[in-house]
Amino acid sequence: MAGKGPIFILSIDGGGSRGVIPANILNFIECEEKVSIRDEFDFFAGVSTGALVAAYLARNVGNMERLVTEGYTSESMSKMMDKSVWDKLLGRMQNQPKYDGVGKRAFIDGQADGMLINDIVDKHLLILAYDFINRELVTFKNNRGHDSIYNPALAEICDAATAAPTMYPPVATTAPKRRWLIDGALATNDPSQCAISEALAIGHALDDVWMLSLGTGKPAHDLSQEARDKIGEESRNWGILDWLTNGLLDHMMSASSSVSAHQCEQLLGERYLRINNELPRSLMQIDNTTEVRVDDLKSYAFLWFEEAVGDIRSLMNGVRTARAEYAQAKQDTVA
C-alpha cells in the first residue's frame, strides 16, 4: 500500500510572551475535549516560543496544564526576561542585548532535563533556528535534521531557537563545527511550511497531511485613517533605532507568518486550520510579562478557543476518520 498514511501536525508560531495564547488554547482543547494533545498529534513544529511548546510536547513530560502553570506564568517569563534598572530605562536603545539570556537558559535547562533531540523516538519534532553568519535556516529534527550526528541537547536547541536579535545574545552550538545561532523567527515565524516539507520528505503524501497551526496574534485594525497616515509619514524619517523601538522584529515575524499561512491554506485546504486572531495593540509586545498582561492574554486565548472549537473538533474528527480508513485499507490489502 503506497504512502505512510495520515500525519497530524501541530505548528506553533513565535511571539515571545504571547506564547501564553497557544499554550492556553492547547490546554483548553485538552480540558474541553478530554484528549491528550501529545496523543492526538504525530508531529510538533515550533519557532521561538513555539519551539518551547513543541519540545515540551515531544518530550512527553506532562499535560498542557503543567506547561501553562509552570512555564507561561508572569513569574516564569519574568525570570527569562529579567531586567536591570538600566535595561528598564534604556530598552533597545542600549548597545547590547536587552536581556543577557541567563534566566532564559536556566529555565530551559530545568525544563529539558538533559534530554537529547534523538532521545525522542515516537514523535516527530522540528525546531527552527537561524545561522546569521552563514545566513541559512537551521532545521533541528530528531534523526534527520541539521547536526543529527552530534545529537544536540534540547536545551541547546531551544536556547538558540529563542535567541531573538536585540533581545538575547546569539547561542553557540557545541558541534565540532561550531555555529552561532539566533531565533528562527528571523527566517520564518511560522514553521508550518517547513513541517509540510518534512512530512513529504519522510514519505507522507500531501493529501495525507493535516495541520493545526497556532499563531500568537496580530494587531487589531483599530487605527483611524488619520492615525495611520500620521505613523506612515513619521516612518519616512525612521532610522534603525526608530524601527527597533517601533517593533521591527515583530513586523518581520508577522510578515513571514502571513506568507506561510497563505501557502499552507492553498496546499492543504480543509485539512488545515489556522488560529491567529487580532489582539489590541497594547498586548502585542513580546516581552511584557506583568500579571495583568498575562491574564489578558489568557482571556484572549479562551475567546479564540471558543470561536474555533467547532473547527478544531471537525479537524480532529477528520484526522481520526482518515486514520481509520487508512488502517482498514491496509488491512484489506493484507487480506
Short mmCIF file of all heavy atoms in Angstrom, two decimals, residues 9-65:
data_model
loop_
_atom_site.label_atom_id
_atom_site.label_comp_id
_atom_site.label_asym_id
_atom_site.label_seq_id
_atom_site.Cartn_x
_atom_site.Cartn_y
_atom_site.Cartn_z
N ILE A 9 -0.07 17.36 12.16
CA ILE A 9 0.99 18.27 12.58
C ILE A 9 0.43 19.40 13.44
O ILE A 9 -0.59 19.99 13.10
CB ILE A 9 1.70 18.88 11.35
CG1 ILE A 9 2.28 17.79 10.46
CG2 ILE A 9 2.79 19.86 11.79
CD1 ILE A 9 2.82 18.30 9.13
N LEU A 10 1.11 19.68 14.52
CA LEU A 10 0.82 20.86 15.34
C LEU A 10 1.97 21.84 15.12
O LEU A 10 3.13 21.54 15.42
CB LEU A 10 0.72 20.51 16.82
CG LEU A 10 0.55 21.70 17.79
CD1 LEU A 10 -0.73 22.47 17.50
CD2 LEU A 10 0.57 21.21 19.23
N SER A 11 1.66 23.02 14.59
CA SER A 11 2.66 24.04 14.29
C SER A 11 2.38 25.27 15.16
O SER A 11 1.24 25.73 15.24
CB SER A 11 2.59 24.41 12.81
OG SER A 11 3.45 25.48 12.51
N ILE A 12 3.44 25.80 15.79
CA ILE A 12 3.26 26.91 16.73
C ILE A 12 4.23 28.04 16.41
O ILE A 12 5.45 27.83 16.37
CB ILE A 12 3.46 26.44 18.18
CG1 ILE A 12 2.60 25.20 18.47
CG2 ILE A 12 3.09 27.56 19.17
CD1 ILE A 12 2.97 24.48 19.73
N ASP A 13 3.69 29.22 16.21
CA ASP A 13 4.47 30.41 15.88
C ASP A 13 5.30 30.89 17.05
O ASP A 13 5.07 30.52 18.21
CB ASP A 13 3.54 31.57 15.50
CG ASP A 13 2.93 31.41 14.13
OD1 ASP A 13 2.95 30.30 13.57
OD2 ASP A 13 2.38 32.41 13.63
N GLY A 14 6.22 31.81 16.73
CA GLY A 14 6.92 32.56 17.76
C GLY A 14 6.11 33.78 18.18
O GLY A 14 5.13 34.14 17.54
N GLY A 15 6.57 34.43 19.24
CA GLY A 15 5.86 35.62 19.71
C GLY A 15 6.20 35.99 21.13
O GLY A 15 5.46 36.73 21.77
N GLY A 16 7.32 35.48 21.65
CA GLY A 16 7.74 35.85 22.99
C GLY A 16 6.70 35.49 24.04
O GLY A 16 6.14 34.39 24.04
N SER A 17 6.39 36.45 24.89
CA SER A 17 5.44 36.19 25.97
C SER A 17 4.02 35.93 25.46
O SER A 17 3.18 35.42 26.20
CB SER A 17 5.43 37.36 26.96
OG SER A 17 5.12 38.57 26.31
N ARG A 18 3.77 36.26 24.21
CA ARG A 18 2.45 35.95 23.64
C ARG A 18 2.27 34.45 23.43
O ARG A 18 1.18 33.99 23.04
CB ARG A 18 2.24 36.70 22.32
CG ARG A 18 2.25 38.21 22.45
CD ARG A 18 1.54 38.90 21.29
NE ARG A 18 1.93 38.43 20.00
CZ ARG A 18 2.89 38.96 19.24
NH1 ARG A 18 3.57 40.01 19.68
NH2 ARG A 18 3.17 38.47 18.04
N GLY A 19 3.32 33.66 23.70
CA GLY A 19 3.17 32.21 23.71
C GLY A 19 2.16 31.74 24.73
O GLY A 19 1.71 30.59 24.70
N VAL A 20 1.77 32.62 25.64
CA VAL A 20 0.68 32.34 26.58
C VAL A 20 -0.57 31.89 25.82
O VAL A 20 -1.31 31.00 26.27
CB VAL A 20 0.35 33.61 27.42
CG1 VAL A 20 -0.97 33.45 28.16
CG2 VAL A 20 1.48 33.89 28.40
N ILE A 21 -0.79 32.47 24.65
CA ILE A 21 -2.02 32.18 23.91
C ILE A 21 -2.06 30.76 23.37
O ILE A 21 -2.99 30.00 23.70
CB ILE A 21 -2.23 33.22 22.78
CG1 ILE A 21 -2.51 34.60 23.40
CG2 ILE A 21 -3.39 32.81 21.87
CD1 ILE A 21 -2.65 35.71 22.38
N PRO A 22 -1.10 30.31 22.52
CA PRO A 22 -1.19 28.92 22.04
C PRO A 22 -1.10 27.89 23.16
O PRO A 22 -1.77 26.86 23.10
CB PRO A 22 -0.01 28.81 21.07
CG PRO A 22 0.89 29.94 21.38
CD PRO A 22 0.02 31.03 21.89
N ALA A 23 -0.29 28.17 24.19
CA ALA A 23 -0.20 27.22 25.30
C ALA A 23 -1.55 27.04 25.98
O ALA A 23 -1.96 25.91 26.30
CB ALA A 23 0.85 27.69 26.31
N ASN A 24 -2.26 28.14 26.18
CA ASN A 24 -3.57 28.04 26.84
C ASN A 24 -4.63 27.47 25.92
O ASN A 24 -5.52 26.73 26.38
CB ASN A 24 -3.99 29.41 27.36
CG ASN A 24 -3.41 29.71 28.73
OD1 ASN A 24 -3.95 29.32 29.76
ND2 ASN A 24 -2.26 30.40 28.75
N ILE A 25 -4.57 27.77 24.62
CA ILE A 25 -5.52 27.15 23.69
C ILE A 25 -5.39 25.64 23.73
O ILE A 25 -6.39 24.90 23.77
CB ILE A 25 -5.30 27.68 22.26
CG1 ILE A 25 -5.78 29.14 22.16
CG2 ILE A 25 -6.04 26.82 21.24
CD1 ILE A 25 -5.49 29.78 20.82
N LEU A 26 -4.16 25.14 23.73
CA LEU A 26 -3.94 23.69 23.79
C LEU A 26 -4.45 23.12 25.11
O LEU A 26 -4.99 22.00 25.15
CB LEU A 26 -2.45 23.38 23.60
CG LEU A 26 -1.90 23.71 22.22
CD1 LEU A 26 -0.38 23.57 22.20
CD2 LEU A 26 -2.52 22.81 21.15
N ASN A 27 -4.28 23.87 26.18
CA ASN A 27 -4.80 23.42 27.47
C ASN A 27 -6.33 23.35 27.44
O ASN A 27 -6.94 22.41 27.95
CB ASN A 27 -4.33 24.37 28.57
CG ASN A 27 -4.71 23.89 29.96
OD1 ASN A 27 -4.70 22.69 30.24
ND2 ASN A 27 -5.07 24.81 30.83
N PHE A 28 -6.96 24.35 26.82
CA PHE A 28 -8.43 24.35 26.71
C PHE A 28 -8.90 23.16 25.88
O PHE A 28 -9.92 22.54 26.19
CB PHE A 28 -8.92 25.65 26.08
CG PHE A 28 -8.68 26.88 26.94
CD1 PHE A 28 -8.31 28.08 26.36
CD2 PHE A 28 -8.82 26.82 28.31
CE1 PHE A 28 -8.09 29.21 27.14
CE2 PHE A 28 -8.60 27.94 29.11
CZ PHE A 28 -8.24 29.15 28.51
N ILE A 29 -8.17 22.82 24.82
CA ILE A 29 -8.53 21.67 23.99
C ILE A 29 -8.48 20.39 24.83
O ILE A 29 -9.41 19.56 24.79
CB ILE A 29 -7.60 21.54 22.77
CG1 ILE A 29 -7.80 22.72 21.82
CG2 ILE A 29 -7.86 20.22 22.04
CD1 ILE A 29 -6.80 22.76 20.67
N GLU A 30 -7.40 20.23 25.59
CA GLU A 30 -7.29 19.04 26.43
C GLU A 30 -8.43 18.95 27.43
O GLU A 30 -9.02 17.87 27.61
CB GLU A 30 -5.95 19.04 27.17
CG GLU A 30 -4.76 18.68 26.30
CD GLU A 30 -3.52 18.32 27.09
OE1 GLU A 30 -3.39 18.76 28.26
OE2 GLU A 30 -2.66 17.61 26.55
N CYS A 31 -8.75 20.05 28.07
CA CYS A 31 -9.78 20.05 29.11
C CYS A 31 -11.18 19.85 28.53
O CYS A 31 -11.98 19.07 29.05
CB CYS A 31 -9.73 21.34 29.91
SG CYS A 31 -8.22 21.58 30.88
N GLU A 32 -11.47 20.57 27.45
CA GLU A 32 -12.81 20.54 26.87
C GLU A 32 -13.09 19.24 26.12
O GLU A 32 -14.16 18.67 26.22
CB GLU A 32 -12.99 21.74 25.93
CG GLU A 32 -14.38 21.87 25.32
CD GLU A 32 -15.43 22.36 26.31
OE1 GLU A 32 -15.04 22.90 27.37
OE2 GLU A 32 -16.63 22.19 26.01
N GLU A 33 -12.10 18.78 25.37
CA GLU A 33 -12.29 17.61 24.52
C GLU A 33 -11.88 16.31 25.20
O GLU A 33 -12.04 15.23 24.61
CB GLU A 33 -11.52 17.78 23.21
CG GLU A 33 -11.91 19.02 22.42
CD GLU A 33 -13.39 19.05 22.09
OE1 GLU A 33 -13.88 18.04 21.52
OE2 GLU A 33 -14.06 20.05 22.40
N LYS A 34 -11.31 16.40 26.40
CA LYS A 34 -10.87 15.21 27.14
C LYS A 34 -9.88 14.37 26.33
O LYS A 34 -10.00 13.15 26.18
CB LYS A 34 -12.07 14.34 27.55
CG LYS A 34 -13.19 15.09 28.24
CD LYS A 34 -12.74 15.74 29.53
CE LYS A 34 -13.90 16.45 30.23
NZ LYS A 34 -13.48 17.24 31.40
N VAL A 35 -8.89 15.06 25.77
CA VAL A 35 -7.89 14.38 24.97
C VAL A 35 -6.50 14.78 25.47
O VAL A 35 -6.34 15.73 26.23
CB VAL A 35 -8.01 14.75 23.47
CG1 VAL A 35 -9.35 14.32 22.92
CG2 VAL A 35 -7.79 16.25 23.25
N SER A 36 -5.50 14.04 25.01
CA SER A 36 -4.11 14.40 25.24
C SER A 36 -3.56 14.99 23.94
O SER A 36 -3.63 14.35 22.89
CB SER A 36 -3.30 13.16 25.62
OG SER A 36 -1.91 13.38 25.41
N ILE A 37 -3.08 16.22 24.01
CA ILE A 37 -2.52 16.85 22.81
C ILE A 37 -1.40 16.00 22.24
O ILE A 37 -1.30 15.80 21.02
CB ILE A 37 -2.01 18.27 23.13
CG1 ILE A 37 -3.17 19.21 23.47
CG2 ILE A 37 -1.19 18.83 21.96
CD1 ILE A 37 -4.14 19.45 22.34
N ARG A 38 -0.56 15.47 23.09
CA ARG A 38 0.56 14.66 22.60
C ARG A 38 0.06 13.42 21.87
O ARG A 38 0.63 13.01 20.85
CB ARG A 38 1.49 14.26 23.73
CG ARG A 38 2.79 13.65 23.21
CD ARG A 38 3.75 13.30 24.31
NE ARG A 38 5.08 13.05 23.77
CZ ARG A 38 5.48 11.88 23.26
NH1 ARG A 38 4.64 10.85 23.22
NH2 ARG A 38 6.70 11.75 22.79
N ASP A 39 -0.99 12.80 22.36
CA ASP A 39 -1.51 11.60 21.72
C ASP A 39 -2.21 11.91 20.40
O ASP A 39 -2.20 11.10 19.47
CB ASP A 39 -2.48 10.88 22.65
CG ASP A 39 -1.78 10.25 23.86
OD1 ASP A 39 -0.53 10.12 23.82
OD2 ASP A 39 -2.48 9.92 24.83
N GLU A 40 -2.83 13.07 20.31
CA GLU A 40 -3.59 13.43 19.11
C GLU A 40 -2.68 13.72 17.91
O GLU A 40 -3.04 13.43 16.78
CB GLU A 40 -4.46 14.66 19.37
CG GLU A 40 -5.64 14.41 20.30
CD GLU A 40 -6.70 13.51 19.67
OE1 GLU A 40 -7.00 13.68 18.47
OE2 GLU A 40 -7.21 12.63 20.39
N PHE A 41 -1.51 14.29 18.17
CA PHE A 41 -0.64 14.74 17.09
C PHE A 41 0.55 13.80 16.90
O PHE A 41 1.02 13.18 17.84
CB PHE A 41 -0.14 16.16 17.35
CG PHE A 41 -1.22 17.21 17.26
CD1 PHE A 41 -1.99 17.53 18.37
CD2 PHE A 41 -1.48 17.85 16.05
CE1 PHE A 41 -3.00 18.48 18.29
CE2 PHE A 41 -2.48 18.81 15.97
CZ PHE A 41 -3.25 19.12 17.08
N ASP A 42 1.03 13.76 15.65
CA ASP A 42 2.19 12.94 15.31
C ASP A 42 3.47 13.75 15.21
O ASP A 42 4.57 13.20 15.28
CB ASP A 42 1.97 12.26 13.94
CG ASP A 42 0.65 11.53 13.86
OD1 ASP A 42 0.48 10.56 14.63
OD2 ASP A 42 -0.21 11.94 13.06
N PHE A 43 3.33 15.06 15.05
CA PHE A 43 4.45 15.91 14.63
C PHE A 43 4.28 17.26 15.30
O PHE A 43 3.21 17.87 15.22
CB PHE A 43 4.40 16.03 13.10
CG PHE A 43 5.59 16.69 12.44
CD1 PHE A 43 5.94 16.32 11.14
CD2 PHE A 43 6.33 17.68 13.05
CE1 PHE A 43 7.00 16.91 10.48
CE2 PHE A 43 7.39 18.29 12.40
CZ PHE A 43 7.74 17.91 11.13
N PHE A 44 5.35 17.74 15.95
CA PHE A 44 5.32 19.04 16.62
C PHE A 44 6.38 19.94 16.01
O PHE A 44 7.56 19.55 15.92
CB PHE A 44 5.56 18.89 18.12
CG PHE A 44 4.58 17.96 18.79
CD1 PHE A 44 4.95 16.67 19.14
CD2 PHE A 44 3.28 18.36 19.03
CE1 PHE A 44 4.06 15.80 19.74
CE2 PHE A 44 2.36 17.50 19.61
CZ PHE A 44 2.75 16.22 19.97
N ALA A 45 5.98 21.12 15.56
CA ALA A 45 6.90 22.07 14.95
C ALA A 45 6.77 23.42 15.64
O ALA A 45 5.65 23.87 15.93
CB ALA A 45 6.59 22.22 13.45
N GLY A 46 7.91 24.06 15.92
CA GLY A 46 7.85 25.34 16.63
C GLY A 46 9.01 26.26 16.30
O GLY A 46 10.11 25.81 15.98
N VAL A 47 8.73 27.54 16.39
CA VAL A 47 9.73 28.59 16.25
C VAL A 47 9.68 29.46 17.50
O VAL A 47 8.58 29.76 18.00
CB VAL A 47 9.46 29.46 15.01
CG1 VAL A 47 10.37 30.68 14.98
CG2 VAL A 47 9.63 28.66 13.73
N SER A 48 10.83 29.85 18.01
CA SER A 48 10.92 30.77 19.15
C SER A 48 10.10 30.23 20.34
O SER A 48 10.33 29.10 20.76
CB SER A 48 10.46 32.16 18.71
OG SER A 48 10.85 33.14 19.65
N THR A 49 9.16 31.00 20.85
CA THR A 49 8.37 30.49 21.99
C THR A 49 7.62 29.22 21.61
O THR A 49 7.40 28.34 22.43
CB THR A 49 7.39 31.57 22.49
OG1 THR A 49 6.85 31.18 23.75
CG2 THR A 49 6.27 31.84 21.50
N GLY A 50 7.26 29.10 20.32
CA GLY A 50 6.61 27.88 19.85
C GLY A 50 7.51 26.67 19.94
O GLY A 50 7.05 25.54 20.10
N ALA A 51 8.83 26.89 19.84
CA ALA A 51 9.78 25.79 19.98
C ALA A 51 9.74 25.22 21.39
O ALA A 51 9.91 24.01 21.58
CB ALA A 51 11.19 26.28 19.65
N LEU A 52 9.54 26.08 22.38
CA LEU A 52 9.46 25.61 23.76
C LEU A 52 8.25 24.70 23.95
O LEU A 52 8.32 23.67 24.63
CB LEU A 52 9.39 26.80 24.73
CG LEU A 52 10.57 27.77 24.71
CD1 LEU A 52 10.37 28.87 25.75
CD2 LEU A 52 11.89 27.05 24.94
N VAL A 53 7.12 25.09 23.36
CA VAL A 53 5.91 24.27 23.47
C VAL A 53 6.08 22.96 22.72
O VAL A 53 5.74 21.88 23.23
CB VAL A 53 4.68 25.04 22.93
CG1 VAL A 53 3.42 24.18 23.06
CG2 VAL A 53 4.50 26.36 23.67
N ALA A 54 6.63 23.03 21.51
CA ALA A 54 6.83 21.82 20.71
C ALA A 54 7.77 20.83 21.41
O ALA A 54 7.51 19.63 21.45
CB ALA A 54 7.38 22.19 19.33
N ALA A 55 8.87 21.35 21.96
CA ALA A 55 9.82 20.48 22.64
C ALA A 55 9.20 19.85 23.88
O ALA A 55 9.44 18.67 24.18
CB ALA A 55 11.08 21.27 23.02
N TYR A 56 8.41 20.62 24.60
CA TYR A 56 7.73 20.11 25.80
C TYR A 56 6.82 18.93 25.43
O TYR A 56 6.84 17.88 26.08
CB TYR A 56 6.93 21.22 26.45
CG TYR A 56 6.06 20.78 27.61
CD1 TYR A 56 6.59 20.67 28.89
CD2 TYR A 56 4.72 20.47 27.42
CE1 TYR A 56 5.80 20.27 29.96
CE2 TYR A 56 3.92 20.06 28.47
CZ TYR A 56 4.46 19.96 29.75
OH TYR A 56 3.66 19.55 30.80
N LEU A 57 6.04 19.10 24.37
CA LEU A 57 5.12 18.05 23.96
C LEU A 57 5.87 16.82 23.45
O LEU A 57 5.50 15.68 23.76
CB LEU A 57 4.18 18.58 22.89
CG LEU A 57 3.09 19.52 23.39
CD1 LEU A 57 2.48 20.31 22.24
CD2 LEU A 57 2.03 18.76 24.16
N ALA A 58 6.92 17.03 22.70
CA ALA A 58 7.68 15.90 22.16
C ALA A 58 8.34 15.10 23.26
O ALA A 58 8.50 13.87 23.15
CB ALA A 58 8.73 16.41 21.17
N ARG A 59 8.71 15.76 24.37
CA ARG A 59 9.39 15.07 25.47
C ARG A 59 8.45 14.16 26.25
O ARG A 59 8.89 13.23 26.93
CB ARG A 59 9.99 16.10 26.45
CG ARG A 59 11.25 16.77 25.97
CD ARG A 59 11.82 17.63 27.11
NE ARG A 59 12.12 16.81 28.27
CZ ARG A 59 11.83 17.16 29.54
NH1 ARG A 59 11.23 18.29 29.79
NH2 ARG A 59 12.16 16.36 30.54
N ASN A 60 7.16 14.45 26.22
CA ASN A 60 6.19 13.62 26.95
C ASN A 60 6.42 13.65 28.46
O ASN A 60 6.59 12.62 29.11
CB ASN A 60 6.22 12.17 26.46
CG ASN A 60 5.01 11.38 26.93
OD1 ASN A 60 3.97 11.95 27.24
ND2 ASN A 60 5.15 10.06 27.01
N VAL A 61 6.42 14.86 29.02
CA VAL A 61 6.66 15.00 30.45
C VAL A 61 5.47 15.57 31.22
O VAL A 61 5.58 15.84 32.41
CB VAL A 61 7.89 15.91 30.71
CG1 VAL A 61 9.16 15.21 30.26
CG2 VAL A 61 7.75 17.26 30.01
N GLY A 62 4.34 15.73 30.54
CA GLY A 62 3.18 16.24 31.26
C GLY A 62 2.15 16.81 30.31
O GLY A 62 2.38 16.92 29.10
N ASN A 63 1.00 17.15 30.88
CA ASN A 63 -0.07 17.72 30.05
C ASN A 63 0.13 19.22 29.88
O ASN A 63 1.06 19.82 30.41
CB ASN A 63 -1.44 17.40 30.66
CG ASN A 63 -1.58 17.94 32.10
OD1 ASN A 63 -0.82 18.82 32.53
ND2 ASN A 63 -2.53 17.41 32.83
N MET A 64 -0.78 19.83 29.14
CA MET A 64 -0.65 21.25 28.86
C MET A 64 -0.90 22.11 30.10
O MET A 64 -0.36 23.20 30.22
CB MET A 64 -1.60 21.65 27.74
CG MET A 64 -1.18 21.17 26.37
SD MET A 64 0.54 21.61 25.93
CE MET A 64 0.49 23.40 26.08
N GLU A 65 -1.68 21.61 31.02
CA GLU A 65 -1.91 22.37 32.25
C GLU A 65 -0.61 22.60 32.99
O GLU A 65 -0.36 23.67 33.55
CB GLU A 65 -2.90 21.65 33.16
CG GLU A 65 -3.23 22.44 34.43
CD GLU A 65 -4.22 21.73 35.33
OE1 GLU A 65 -4.53 20.55 35.07
OE2 GLU A 65 -4.68 22.36 36.30
#
